[in-house]
Amino acid sequence: MTFGHSRDACGDDWPLVGRERELAALDAVAAEVLSGRSRVVQLEGAAGVGKSVLLSAWWERNDQFRVLRARCHPLERAFAFGAVRQLFRPLLAAVSEADRARLLEGSAAATLRALDDAAGTEPLPEAADVTASTLQGLDTLAARLSRRQPLLLAVDALQWIDQPSLRWLVHFAGQADSHPVLIAVTTRSAEVRRLDPLLAELVRPANCQTLVVEPLDTAGVAQLVQTLWGAEEPDDAFCAAAHAATGGHPLFVRALLHQAQRSGVRPTASFRDRIPTVMLSTLAGEISHRLCQASGEVVELARALALLGDRKPPELLAAYCGTGRAVVLSAAQDLRSLGLLRADGDLRFTHRVVRDTVLGMLSPEELGAGHARAAQVSCLSGRPDEEVAAHLLAAGPVHGSWVLPVLRRAAGQALHRGAPETAVTYLRAALHQPLDDAERARLLLELGTAASHYDAALAISCVTGALEELTDETARSDALGVLAYSLLLSRGSRTDLSDVDRKIAALCDPRTADSGAADRELALRMGALRAWMEFERPSVTGPAPPPAPATDDDPADRTAGERQLLAIRAFRALRAALPAPYVAGLIERASVNLPAFSHDLFPLHYFVAQTLLYLDELDTADQLNRHLTREISGRGMELLVSSLMLYQAGLALRRGNITEALATAETAADQASSTGRLPYALTLDTLRIDALLAQGRMEAAERIAGAHAVAGQAEVAWERPRFLMSLAALRIAQGNPRAGLSLLRECGHHCEAAGTVSPAMAPWRSRSVAAHLALGDTASARALAEQELDLARRCRIPRALGVALRVTGLATSGPRGLDLLAEAVDVLGPTPARLELARALDAFGAALLYRDDKRGARSALRRGLDLAVECGATVLAARLQQRLHLAGGRVGRAGGAGALTAGEERVGTLAAQGYSNKQIAELLVVSLRTVETHLTGAYRKLGIAGRPYLAAAMAAADPSRQGSATTDS
């Protein structure tokens, strides 16, 4: 059965045969896509088995799709978004200006950064609204095209795709479930980069249907024999012999049959034994034979095409061959007559096997020299820097004054396009150039800056080396900024932090009053880095004295250095428990029109984000987190993205969104960086332990804690005390208050040594109260509670004050204790601390119940129960429910929609309406894991097995939602 034709290396048209199974499978996938669902399909097979031909023949008979195609090449692996540009640039070049503007509306800058060479040379803009995500811009373009017509993104030779393009395909496939897009890729089975996690993610069975394109069977070979010899009926024995000799590989079958016909063989039984005598040992042998019969100009052109790639201008090929354009065109015609060049006029080989054969005829020395010449010719001809750089990488060491600028420019363009791995590759190659010490140091700094996007350990190594040779103060300042940022996102580094601190201090000497503005900014920046180290690594620098809230020495807020100083003062004031209004005023001045993130501003954003978090300015903190996430999306800053996801989990936990916090933290844990260790791993696990304890999942919390509960660390970072508080809570929950109290004392020691006294940041005293009360030591409990209450009243942060009032009320008997608990409820009511309010209501309700005020107890306990259920705090909810029952209140059945949290109800309602998990995630702007967690919780509470039963369960529970609320008896 014939569906299409192809032209093989012998220059003949052949029918597509023996592919009915694959075509039917492609039709089935297409039907799903045409119904509005995105899909990925992989055609895998050996070289020359007909994968590309099969894909082309299929889409030619399916005109419902708009086809965008890219052919990957091993030489272009280092191109930033090379495959993406092949997909979209021809289409954008063909449409009108008006249509182009419509397609790029709202994301032009980001999209052109990936697609337009000219755009890639412009400096990065600083404003967040013009530095939006490159990936999001490409997503938007593809989505808009798919709304016009179902889209087929066909990528040949996926094993050779560049990393940024692969990242986008994985990103788009992961969130494009609602778009009619088919991503069809072909892969050479022997050359798939199986260890590449992105490639594995794109073609994993859950996302992708893989069709293995096998060699032809005997019937398929018989159809090709019939095609070549025409009316003469082929003999079965002859066809079987041809199949046995070639293994059914289409390219070899065609070469064999073509050679057999030229040798006078007929497709009859009598010629069956002649098959082995005309069998080509490899197709490469035939190609080599044809080239050996050609002129020197033809062979040189074949080599030029193999090295430079397809569709290169005749002028470039002529420059490589050292001849004229007319000679190149004449040689191209000879190549076509040999069946090695396409007949359609393009300067392209008929098949990549031809290119592989030509390259295989060159010795390693000839191959390196060929790429070196290709690089030089491409540079002189004005070809893109990344194209020149690709040849330089393939050539090995190439020297010349032009090489270093090319590699640097190519690295800058790759970094601009969100491909830091590619930039690092170019810069590493640049290190092999003849360099003096100063130039080498500057290059190491550039390499470290690029590496800091995704590999903190590599960045630290490179920048540390650069600092040994850099003499310019501004360059040393830049290097220390990158080093500090990389240390922030690296754990377990063996870098001598005291040596780093000394280097920072050397650039931080006080400047005289008449120093220039540049010197003053440098001093301010170095002071900011020292302040970061004082907080991050207190064992290295020791604490700085807390600032006083005086105004006569307050800095201005005009420059970046001045804003950093303001942010540092705000953070130090927060740690010292100075009044919240004073801290908020400083941080507001530091963050007005906050610039876009960059290494030379580090750690401004860090101090602003931390201060907003502990001030309980959660809405502002969430806006900052979203702003930074949008800004760096598509720039390859994997480590920072992971840190921002962790910050998002912390925000959710402080709001009391237990389920969301745990889901976000689990997602962050799943997205481990390429270094194999997440930044802030201890903080991540601290958040997970807190959330799991709120859900009563102590075994899961213990498994996480077991990986970190190692005492006596040589260096104590700020993460350790926070972890100790969570570990103590776990031990107390397990019924071991003495162990918990010991951990909290250790936590207090670390906090006091570091100068952190604010109960908003280190509430170890209030956490100790429960342990002392469990041990019957009321006096110690009351003393610690009163200390924390004094500090909380001083810092004037409502959450901290509410918590201190609650624990002091618990430790205080009589009317004063009740008054303190009532005040805690009043203070926490207007705050975003919903879980802390639920805990205060629990304590207040229990106190009222003890005094036999059942009506008041029911009111407080009912309100606390609603909050605890909404937060997903199942342990607290169970305790509140039990106390409400003792107070005479009625509670509804455990199941039903009334027991669902707000998040579970929102997700469940959308799922019951037929939305997919990905669609729900997009609508609610949450992660896919969050959706899955909410659905799992809803299934458990409703007592159903899964999504098919959800609509009926929620409908059945709807009439009882009001009745399931707690009521008075």
Side-chain angles (χ1 to χ4, degrees), residues 75 79 371-372 374-394 402-403 406-407 409-410 426:
L75 192 60
F79 284 19
H371 277 296
Q376 187 173 27
V377 167
S378 297
C379 182
L380 293 173
S381 300
R383 300 297 297 175
D385 289 320
E386 64 178 357
E387 188 176 306
V388 181
H391 289 297
L392 290 173
L393 295 179
W402 57 277
V403 175
V406 165
L407 290 171
R409 289 195 301 269
Y426 292 146

PDB file of all heavy atoms in Angstrom, residues 75 79 371-372 374-394 402-403 406-407 409-410 426:
ATOM      1  N   LEU A  75      26.334  19.505  14.942  1.00  0.00           N
ATOM      2  CA  LEU A  75      27.131  20.721  14.991  1.00  0.00           C
ATOM      3  C   LEU A  75      26.371  21.870  15.645  1.00  0.00           C
ATOM      4  O   LEU A  75      26.972  22.842  16.103  1.00  0.00           O
ATOM      5  CB  LEU A  75      27.555  21.117  13.576  1.00  0.00           C
ATOM      6  CG  LEU A  75      28.631  22.206  13.449  1.00  0.00           C
ATOM      7  CD1 LEU A  75      29.913  21.769  14.139  1.00  0.00           C
ATOM      8  CD2 LEU A  75      28.884  22.526  11.986  1.00  0.00           C
ATOM      9  N   PHE A  79      23.940  25.661  19.766  1.00  0.00           N
ATOM     10  CA  PHE A  79      23.151  26.843  19.401  1.00  0.00           C
ATOM     11  C   PHE A  79      22.079  27.065  20.470  1.00  0.00           C
ATOM     12  O   PHE A  79      21.420  26.130  20.899  1.00  0.00           O
ATOM     13  CB  PHE A  79      22.457  26.640  18.053  1.00  0.00           C
ATOM     14  CG  PHE A  79      23.376  26.779  16.864  1.00  0.00           C
ATOM     15  CD1 PHE A  79      24.746  26.672  17.008  1.00  0.00           C
ATOM     16  CD2 PHE A  79      22.860  27.015  15.607  1.00  0.00           C
ATOM     17  CE1 PHE A  79      25.585  26.785  15.916  1.00  0.00           C
ATOM     18  CE2 PHE A  79      23.691  27.134  14.510  1.00  0.00           C
ATOM     19  CZ  PHE A  79      25.059  27.007  14.658  1.00  0.00           C
ATOM     20  N   HIS A 371      37.017  21.937  10.557  1.00  0.00           N
ATOM     21  CA  HIS A 371      36.185  22.795  11.403  1.00  0.00           C
ATOM     22  C   HIS A 371      36.875  24.123  11.708  1.00  0.00           C
ATOM     23  O   HIS A 371      36.217  25.163  11.801  1.00  0.00           O
ATOM     24  CB  HIS A 371      35.836  22.069  12.700  1.00  0.00           C
ATOM     25  CG  HIS A 371      34.673  21.137  12.570  1.00  0.00           C
ATOM     26  ND1 HIS A 371      33.399  21.573  12.267  1.00  0.00           N
ATOM     27  CD2 HIS A 371      34.597  19.781  12.693  1.00  0.00           C
ATOM     28  CE1 HIS A 371      32.578  20.536  12.222  1.00  0.00           C
ATOM     29  NE2 HIS A 371      33.271  19.432  12.475  1.00  0.00           N
ATOM     30  N   ALA A 372      38.207  24.080  11.867  1.00  0.00           N
ATOM     31  CA  ALA A 372      38.929  25.336  12.097  1.00  0.00           C
ATOM     32  C   ALA A 372      38.786  26.258  10.895  1.00  0.00           C
ATOM     33  O   ALA A 372      38.569  27.474  11.043  1.00  0.00           O
ATOM     34  CB  ALA A 372      40.398  25.039  12.383  1.00  0.00           C
ATOM     35  N   ALA A 374      36.359  26.131   8.700  1.00  0.00           N
ATOM     36  CA  ALA A 374      34.948  26.529   8.651  1.00  0.00           C
ATOM     37  C   ALA A 374      34.676  27.676   9.613  1.00  0.00           C
ATOM     38  O   ALA A 374      33.925  28.607   9.305  1.00  0.00           O
ATOM     39  CB  ALA A 374      34.059  25.332   8.983  1.00  0.00           C
ATOM     40  N   ALA A 375      35.286  27.634  10.807  1.00  0.00           N
ATOM     41  CA  ALA A 375      35.106  28.717  11.769  1.00  0.00           C
ATOM     42  C   ALA A 375      35.651  30.025  11.246  1.00  0.00           C
ATOM     43  O   ALA A 375      34.996  31.080  11.335  1.00  0.00           O
ATOM     44  CB  ALA A 375      35.787  28.352  13.090  1.00  0.00           C
ATOM     45  N   GLN A 376      36.839  29.998  10.684  1.00  0.00           N
ATOM     46  CA  GLN A 376      37.459  31.228  10.188  1.00  0.00           C
ATOM     47  C   GLN A 376      36.678  31.805   9.010  1.00  0.00           C
ATOM     48  O   GLN A 376      36.406  33.002   8.950  1.00  0.00           O
ATOM     49  CB  GLN A 376      38.897  30.946   9.781  1.00  0.00           C
ATOM     50  CG  GLN A 376      39.682  32.201   9.405  1.00  0.00           C
ATOM     51  CD  GLN A 376      41.144  31.900   9.175  1.00  0.00           C
ATOM     52  OE1 GLN A 376      41.502  30.779   8.797  1.00  0.00           O
ATOM     53  NE2 GLN A 376      41.991  32.890   9.399  1.00  0.00           N
ATOM     54  N   VAL A 377      36.297  30.938   8.081  1.00  0.00           N
ATOM     55  CA  VAL A 377      35.544  31.395   6.922  1.00  0.00           C
ATOM     56  C   VAL A 377      34.193  31.953   7.343  1.00  0.00           C
ATOM     57  O   VAL A 377      33.736  32.994   6.843  1.00  0.00           O
ATOM     58  CB  VAL A 377      35.377  30.244   5.908  1.00  0.00           C
ATOM     59  CG1 VAL A 377      34.343  30.586   4.841  1.00  0.00           C
ATOM     60  CG2 VAL A 377      36.709  29.906   5.262  1.00  0.00           C
ATOM     61  N   SER A 378      33.528  31.263   8.283  1.00  0.00           N
ATOM     62  CA  SER A 378      32.219  31.724   8.761  1.00  0.00           C
ATOM     63  C   SER A 378      32.340  33.077   9.454  1.00  0.00           C
ATOM     64  O   SER A 378      31.483  33.955   9.309  1.00  0.00           O
ATOM     65  CB  SER A 378      31.625  30.695   9.724  1.00  0.00           C
ATOM     66  OG  SER A 378      31.394  29.461   9.072  1.00  0.00           O
ATOM     67  N   CYS A 379      33.406  33.267  10.225  1.00  0.00           N
ATOM     68  CA  CYS A 379      33.612  34.545  10.910  1.00  0.00           C
ATOM     69  C   CYS A 379      33.827  35.666   9.904  1.00  0.00           C
ATOM     70  O   CYS A 379      33.215  36.740  10.011  1.00  0.00           O
ATOM     71  CB  CYS A 379      34.797  34.430  11.855  1.00  0.00           C
ATOM     72  SG  CYS A 379      35.131  35.924  12.810  1.00  0.00           S
ATOM     73  N   LEU A 380      34.699  35.434   8.916  1.00  0.00           N
ATOM     74  CA  LEU A 380      34.978  36.455   7.911  1.00  0.00           C
ATOM     75  C   LEU A 380      33.755  36.753   7.050  1.00  0.00           C
ATOM     76  O   LEU A 380      33.614  37.867   6.526  1.00  0.00           O
ATOM     77  CB  LEU A 380      36.144  36.009   7.020  1.00  0.00           C
ATOM     78  CG  LEU A 380      37.511  35.920   7.712  1.00  0.00           C
ATOM     79  CD1 LEU A 380      38.537  35.306   6.788  1.00  0.00           C
ATOM     80  CD2 LEU A 380      37.959  37.306   8.179  1.00  0.00           C
ATOM     81  N   SER A 381      32.854  35.774   6.920  1.00  0.00           N
ATOM     82  CA  SER A 381      31.656  35.962   6.102  1.00  0.00           C
ATOM     83  C   SER A 381      30.505  36.573   6.899  1.00  0.00           C
ATOM     84  O   SER A 381      29.404  36.729   6.369  1.00  0.00           O
ATOM     85  CB  SER A 381      31.216  34.616   5.514  1.00  0.00           C
ATOM     86  OG  SER A 381      32.235  34.064   4.706  1.00  0.00           O
ATOM     87  N   GLY A 382      30.727  36.879   8.169  1.00  0.00           N
ATOM     88  CA  GLY A 382      29.691  37.523   8.974  1.00  0.00           C
ATOM     89  C   GLY A 382      28.602  36.584   9.449  1.00  0.00           C
ATOM     90  O   GLY A 382      27.490  37.028   9.752  1.00  0.00           O
ATOM     91  N   ARG A 383      28.910  35.290   9.543  1.00  0.00           N
ATOM     92  CA  ARG A 383      27.915  34.344  10.031  1.00  0.00           C
ATOM     93  C   ARG A 383      27.684  34.569  11.529  1.00  0.00           C
ATOM     94  O   ARG A 383      28.525  35.154  12.221  1.00  0.00           O
ATOM     95  CB  ARG A 383      28.388  32.896   9.802  1.00  0.00           C
ATOM     96  CG  ARG A 383      28.636  32.551   8.352  1.00  0.00           C
ATOM     97  CD  ARG A 383      27.382  32.629   7.529  1.00  0.00           C
ATOM     98  NE  ARG A 383      26.386  31.656   7.960  1.00  0.00           N
ATOM     99  CZ  ARG A 383      25.157  31.585   7.458  1.00  0.00           C
ATOM    100  NH1 ARG A 383      24.779  32.453   6.514  1.00  0.00           N
ATOM    101  NH2 ARG A 383      24.324  30.668   7.879  1.00  0.00           N
ATOM    102  N   PRO A 384      26.537  34.111  12.094  1.00  0.00           N
ATOM    103  CA  PRO A 384      26.270  34.309  13.524  1.00  0.00           C
ATOM    104  C   PRO A 384      27.382  33.740  14.403  1.00  0.00           C
ATOM    105  O   PRO A 384      27.981  32.706  14.083  1.00  0.00           O
ATOM    106  CB  PRO A 384      24.948  33.555  13.736  1.00  0.00           C
ATOM    107  CG  PRO A 384      24.290  33.555  12.399  1.00  0.00           C
ATOM    108  CD  PRO A 384      25.406  33.450  11.397  1.00  0.00           C
ATOM    109  N   ASP A 385      27.633  34.425  15.524  1.00  0.00           N
ATOM    110  CA  ASP A 385      28.724  34.020  16.410  1.00  0.00           C
ATOM    111  C   ASP A 385      28.558  32.596  16.918  1.00  0.00           C
ATOM    112  O   ASP A 385      29.542  31.860  17.054  1.00  0.00           O
ATOM    113  CB  ASP A 385      28.805  34.979  17.609  1.00  0.00           C
ATOM    114  CG  ASP A 385      29.320  36.351  17.213  1.00  0.00           C
ATOM    115  OD1 ASP A 385      30.246  36.422  16.391  1.00  0.00           O
ATOM    116  OD2 ASP A 385      28.794  37.353  17.718  1.00  0.00           O
ATOM    117  N   GLU A 386      27.331  32.178  17.215  1.00  0.00           N
ATOM    118  CA  GLU A 386      27.150  30.834  17.738  1.00  0.00           C
ATOM    119  C   GLU A 386      27.477  29.784  16.683  1.00  0.00           C
ATOM    120  O   GLU A 386      27.927  28.693  17.009  1.00  0.00           O
ATOM    121  CB  GLU A 386      25.732  30.643  18.261  1.00  0.00           C
ATOM    122  CG  GLU A 386      24.659  30.741  17.219  1.00  0.00           C
ATOM    123  CD  GLU A 386      23.273  30.503  17.814  1.00  0.00           C
ATOM    124  OE1 GLU A 386      23.188  30.206  19.019  1.00  0.00           O
ATOM    125  OE2 GLU A 386      22.299  30.625  17.074  1.00  0.00           O
ATOM    126  N   GLU A 387      27.272  30.122  15.393  1.00  0.00           N
ATOM    127  CA  GLU A 387      27.629  29.203  14.321  1.00  0.00           C
ATOM    128  C   GLU A 387      29.138  29.069  14.231  1.00  0.00           C
ATOM    129  O   GLU A 387      29.677  27.970  14.082  1.00  0.00           O
ATOM    130  CB  GLU A 387      27.049  29.720  13.004  1.00  0.00           C
ATOM    131  CG  GLU A 387      27.195  28.759  11.846  1.00  0.00           C
ATOM    132  CD  GLU A 387      26.507  29.285  10.599  1.00  0.00           C
ATOM    133  OE1 GLU A 387      25.304  29.621  10.673  1.00  0.00           O
ATOM    134  OE2 GLU A 387      27.183  29.368   9.552  1.00  0.00           O
ATOM    135  N   VAL A 388      29.824  30.188  14.340  1.00  0.00           N
ATOM    136  CA  VAL A 388      31.287  30.170  14.334  1.00  0.00           C
ATOM    137  C   VAL A 388      31.790  29.410  15.562  1.00  0.00           C
ATOM    138  O   VAL A 388      32.701  28.579  15.468  1.00  0.00           O
ATOM    139  CB  VAL A 388      31.847  31.602  14.314  1.00  0.00           C
ATOM    140  CG1 VAL A 388      33.373  31.572  14.294  1.00  0.00           C
ATOM    141  CG2 VAL A 388      31.319  32.372  13.115  1.00  0.00           C
ATOM    142  N   ALA A 389      31.183  29.686  16.714  1.00  0.00           N
ATOM    143  CA  ALA A 389      31.613  29.043  17.951  1.00  0.00           C
ATOM    144  C   ALA A 389      31.425  27.530  17.902  1.00  0.00           C
ATOM    145  O   ALA A 389      32.236  26.782  18.458  1.00  0.00           O
ATOM    146  CB  ALA A 389      30.847  29.627  19.133  1.00  0.00           C
ATOM    147  N   ALA A 390      30.373  27.075  17.247  1.00  0.00           N
ATOM    148  CA  ALA A 390      30.142  25.627  17.141  1.00  0.00           C
ATOM    149  C   ALA A 390      31.293  24.954  16.405  1.00  0.00           C
ATOM    150  O   ALA A 390      31.747  23.867  16.786  1.00  0.00           O
ATOM    151  CB  ALA A 390      28.827  25.366  16.429  1.00  0.00           C
ATOM    152  N   HIS A 391      31.793  25.602  15.347  1.00  0.00           N
ATOM    153  CA  HIS A 391      32.952  25.049  14.634  1.00  0.00           C
ATOM    154  C   HIS A 391      34.202  25.096  15.498  1.00  0.00           C
ATOM    155  O   HIS A 391      35.019  24.169  15.474  1.00  0.00           O
ATOM    156  CB  HIS A 391      33.180  25.816  13.334  1.00  0.00           C
ATOM    157  CG  HIS A 391      32.150  25.563  12.286  1.00  0.00           C
ATOM    158  ND1 HIS A 391      31.941  24.328  11.721  1.00  0.00           N
ATOM    159  CD2 HIS A 391      31.249  26.400  11.704  1.00  0.00           C
ATOM    160  CE1 HIS A 391      30.963  24.403  10.833  1.00  0.00           C
ATOM    161  NE2 HIS A 391      30.529  25.651  10.809  1.00  0.00           N
ATOM    162  N   LEU A 392      34.355  26.163  16.275  1.00  0.00           N
ATOM    163  CA  LEU A 392      35.525  26.254  17.155  1.00  0.00           C
ATOM    164  C   LEU A 392      35.523  25.131  18.184  1.00  0.00           C
ATOM    165  O   LEU A 392      36.567  24.551  18.492  1.00  0.00           O
ATOM    166  CB  LEU A 392      35.533  27.612  17.857  1.00  0.00           C
ATOM    167  CG  LEU A 392      35.838  28.822  16.969  1.00  0.00           C
ATOM    168  CD1 LEU A 392      35.639  30.115  17.738  1.00  0.00           C
ATOM    169  CD2 LEU A 392      37.274  28.749  16.439  1.00  0.00           C
ATOM    170  N   LEU A 393      34.354  24.814  18.729  1.00  0.00           N
ATOM    171  CA  LEU A 393      34.266  23.725  19.692  1.00  0.00           C
ATOM    172  C   LEU A 393      34.612  22.387  19.047  1.00  0.00           C
ATOM    173  O   LEU A 393      35.252  21.533  19.665  1.00  0.00           O
ATOM    174  CB  LEU A 393      32.867  23.667  20.290  1.00  0.00           C
ATOM    175  CG  LEU A 393      32.417  24.861  21.142  1.00  0.00           C
ATOM    176  CD1 LEU A 393      30.988  24.641  21.635  1.00  0.00           C
ATOM    177  CD2 LEU A 393      33.344  25.085  22.318  1.00  0.00           C
ATOM    178  N   ALA A 394      34.171  22.199  17.807  1.00  0.00           N
ATOM    179  CA  ALA A 394      34.422  20.935  17.115  1.00  0.00           C
ATOM    180  C   ALA A 394      35.868  20.815  16.646  1.00  0.00           C
ATOM    181  O   ALA A 394      36.378  19.700  16.470  1.00  0.00           O
ATOM    182  CB  ALA A 394      33.478  20.797  15.921  1.00  0.00           C
ATOM    183  N   TRP A 402      40.821  36.760  16.654  1.00  0.00           N
ATOM    184  CA  TRP A 402      39.379  36.828  16.428  1.00  0.00           C
ATOM    185  C   TRP A 402      38.597  35.793  17.244  1.00  0.00           C
ATOM    186  O   TRP A 402      37.382  35.904  17.407  1.00  0.00           O
ATOM    187  CB  TRP A 402      39.076  36.609  14.943  1.00  0.00           C
ATOM    188  CG  TRP A 402      39.617  35.299  14.407  1.00  0.00           C
ATOM    189  CD1 TRP A 402      40.879  35.054  13.972  1.00  0.00           C
ATOM    190  CD2 TRP A 402      38.920  34.060  14.296  1.00  0.00           C
ATOM    191  NE1 TRP A 402      41.018  33.741  13.591  1.00  0.00           N
ATOM    192  CE2 TRP A 402      39.832  33.112  13.771  1.00  0.00           C
ATOM    193  CE3 TRP A 402      37.618  33.658  14.588  1.00  0.00           C
ATOM    194  CZ2 TRP A 402      39.480  31.798  13.523  1.00  0.00           C
ATOM    195  CZ3 TRP A 402      37.265  32.337  14.337  1.00  0.00           C
ATOM    196  CH2 TRP A 402      38.185  31.428  13.814  1.00  0.00           C
ATOM    197  N   VAL A 403      39.297  34.772  17.771  1.00  0.00           N
ATOM    198  CA  VAL A 403      38.608  33.645  18.399  1.00  0.00           C
ATOM    199  C   VAL A 403      37.960  34.051  19.721  1.00  0.00           C
ATOM    200  O   VAL A 403      36.773  33.779  19.973  1.00  0.00           O
ATOM    201  CB  VAL A 403      39.584  32.472  18.623  1.00  0.00           C
ATOM    202  CG1 VAL A 403      38.898  31.350  19.399  1.00  0.00           C
ATOM    203  CG2 VAL A 403      40.092  31.960  17.282  1.00  0.00           C
ATOM    204  N   VAL A 406      34.742  36.138  19.546  1.00  0.00           N
ATOM    205  CA  VAL A 406      33.616  35.347  19.035  1.00  0.00           C
ATOM    206  C   VAL A 406      33.025  34.492  20.146  1.00  0.00           C
ATOM    207  O   VAL A 406      31.799  34.452  20.345  1.00  0.00           O
ATOM    208  CB  VAL A 406      34.074  34.464  17.857  1.00  0.00           C
ATOM    209  CG1 VAL A 406      33.032  33.381  17.549  1.00  0.00           C
ATOM    210  CG2 VAL A 406      34.307  35.308  16.614  1.00  0.00           C
ATOM    211  N   LEU A 407      33.867  33.801  20.884  1.00  0.00           N
ATOM    212  CA  LEU A 407      33.375  32.928  21.952  1.00  0.00           C
ATOM    213  C   LEU A 407      32.685  33.733  23.047  1.00  0.00           C
ATOM    214  O   LEU A 407      31.666  33.312  23.596  1.00  0.00           O
ATOM    215  CB  LEU A 407      34.531  32.123  22.536  1.00  0.00           C
ATOM    216  CG  LEU A 407      35.116  31.038  21.618  1.00  0.00           C
ATOM    217  CD1 LEU A 407      36.392  30.454  22.212  1.00  0.00           C
ATOM    218  CD2 LEU A 407      34.101  29.928  21.360  1.00  0.00           C
ATOM    219  N   ARG A 409      31.167  36.703  22.676  1.00  0.00           N
ATOM    220  CA  ARG A 409      29.875  37.199  22.181  1.00  0.00           C
ATOM    221  C   ARG A 409      28.855  36.068  22.128  1.00  0.00           C
ATOM    222  O   ARG A 409      27.684  36.253  22.478  1.00  0.00           O
ATOM    223  CB  ARG A 409      30.044  37.839  20.802  1.00  0.00           C
ATOM    224  CG  ARG A 409      30.779  39.158  20.806  1.00  0.00           C
ATOM    225  CD  ARG A 409      30.572  39.893  19.490  1.00  0.00           C
ATOM    226  NE  ARG A 409      31.023  39.132  18.352  1.00  0.00           N
ATOM    227  CZ  ARG A 409      32.251  39.198  17.833  1.00  0.00           C
ATOM    228  NH1 ARG A 409      33.162  39.999  18.376  1.00  0.00           N
ATOM    229  NH2 ARG A 409      32.587  38.491  16.770  1.00  0.00           N
ATOM    230  N   ALA A 410      29.276  34.902  21.679  1.00  0.00           N
ATOM    231  CA  ALA A 410      28.361  33.760  21.624  1.00  0.00           C
ATOM    232  C   ALA A 410      27.877  33.394  23.017  1.00  0.00           C
ATOM    233  O   ALA A 410      26.702  33.067  23.218  1.00  0.00           O
ATOM    234  CB  ALA A 410      29.052  32.558  20.967  1.00  0.00           C
ATOM    235  N   TYR A 426      31.008  27.681  25.846  1.00  0.00           N
ATOM    236  CA  TYR A 426      31.792  28.608  25.038  1.00  0.00           C
ATOM    237  C   TYR A 426      32.949  29.206  25.845  1.00  0.00           C
ATOM    238  O   TYR A 426      34.085  29.319  25.358  1.00  0.00           O
ATOM    239  CB  TYR A 426      30.905  29.732  24.520  1.00  0.00           C
ATOM    240  CG  TYR A 426      29.871  29.319  23.497  1.00  0.00           C
ATOM    241  CD1 TYR A 426      28.623  29.946  23.454  1.00  0.00           C
ATOM    242  CD2 TYR A 426      30.117  28.310  22.584  1.00  0.00           C
ATOM    243  CE1 TYR A 426      27.661  29.572  22.535  1.00  0.00           C
ATOM    244  CE2 TYR A 426      29.168  27.930  21.655  1.00  0.00           C
ATOM    245  CZ  TYR A 426      27.936  28.568  21.634  1.00  0.00           C
ATOM    246  OH  TYR A 426      26.993  28.197  20.710  1.00  0.00           O
TER     247      TYR A 426
END
